[in-house]
Amino acid sequence: MTERSGQAGDATEGPAPTTPVCFRHPDRETYVRCTRCDRPICPECMRDASVGHQCPECVSEGRRTVRPARTAFGGGAAGRQGYVTKTLIALNVLVMVLSIASDRGGDAAAGGSGFGGLMGGSTPLTDWGAVLGYAQYVAFGELHGIAAGEWYRLVTAMFLHYGLVHLLLNMWALWVLGRTLEAVLGPLRFLALYLAAGLGGNVAAYLFSPPYSSTVGASTAIFGLFAAIFVIMRRLGRDTSAIVPILVINLIFTFTVPGISVAGHLGGLVVGALMALVLAYAPRMRRTAFQVAGGTILLVALLGLVLVRTAALTG
């Protein structure tokens, strides 16, 4: 016990009583003790506990021994803040700005207004990053596309959009679906789901669309999120009656509105559902290992399909 000694008493009265002092601040008297280590602590060192107060050292030790909170599917509690969802939205908006800027630069040289990218037309950036099977650009006389080795298009296409309306519709859906799924799955698992669904949709567009047609948009990943939220809610035993009509309406639009990539939407839907099944039904004892293995198998399968399609186009 840390105490401060008083003055010695005389022969008749004995020694003067001592007053406890804070073990971290010896110049401060206190009668409060840490409920864990029983050392005296001053008001500055007191940390509220379930019973009484604790010193800073005991609080730090307790934090090291307490396991961080996890979601039902093994994700971190940081997903409740929606950081990944917000980052994805910000990234899509930034790419849209760059796309418009690239269009203005190209049109300015030709004497145009430069607002084609804003209103829904293609831009130099969408031409560079869209899902394109195999085509020859007349201006350059070169073969371009995924079959020509530009595999990056399978990823970049999910962050590009044809116009502001296209972007806003997808970002609204991402804001609504993303926050819920990220809170349930955790940041890393949600990001893996989003990227897997977007990649799956782009691979499907590459497989089943004419090689000269181009496709962009986050809707491949968005449709994967629709499928995933249905799977996740079923796994948690929650009501999914509100999800089904929205999904059906989006599918009707997919098949009836001209210019929409049916293959991309359905591919994202299927791959998103498969990835959600892996995340939701992984056995608890080896959950993370099972989820990583399932995601890896899905990725390898998609890349295998890309190789088959590339061989068919270039063989």
Side-chain angles (χ1 to χ4, degrees), residues 151 206 302-312:
W151 284 41
Y206 177 48
L302 291 174
L303 295 181
L305 292 173
V306 173
L307 290 174
V308 172
R309 175 62 168 167
T310 300

Side-chain angles (χ1 to χ4, degrees), residues 1-5 18-21 33 40:
M1 178 173 60
T2 305
E3 296 179 336
R4 183 171 60 190
S5 300
T18 57
T19 302
V21 296
R33 295 180 179 274

Side-chain angles (χ1 to χ4, degrees), residues 97-223:
V97 172
L98 295 176
S99 181
I100 296 171
S102 72
D103 183 51
R104 287 184 62 80
D107 284 354
S113 63
F115 287 99
L118 182 63
M119 303 305 295
S122 64
T123 70
L125 191 60
T126 56
D127 290 341
W128 168 83
V131 172
L132 178 71
Y134 203 44
Q136 184 173 13
Y137 289 165
V138 177
F140 303 101
E142 300 176 354
L143 288 172
H144 289 270
I146 299 169
E150 297 173 344
W151 284 41
Y152 65 85
R153 293 174 179 269
L154 294 170
V155 177
T156 55
M158 72 178 80
F159 297 100
L160 291 163
H161 292 84
Y162 287 135
L164 186 60
V165 174
H166 189 198
L167 173 71
L168 292 177
L169 289 174
N170 282 334
M171 293 304 99
W172 175 80
L174 175 56
W175 177 250
V176 173
L177 298 171
R179 289 178 302 161
T180 299
L181 285 169
E182 187 178 351
V184 174
L185 296 173
L188 293 179
R189 286 166 175 80
F190 169 70
L191 180 61
L193 168 67
Y194 184 90
L195 295 177
L199 179 63
N202 289 339
V203 169
Y206 177 48
L207 292 176
F208 300 108
S209 299
Y212 52 82
S213 66
S214 60
T215 302
V216 299
S219 53
T220 53
I222 299 300
F223 266 74

Side-chain angles (χ1 to χ4, degrees), residues 41 84 101 119 132 221 255 268 300:
I41 49 177
V84 173
M119 303 305 295
L132 178 71
F255 285 100
V300 171

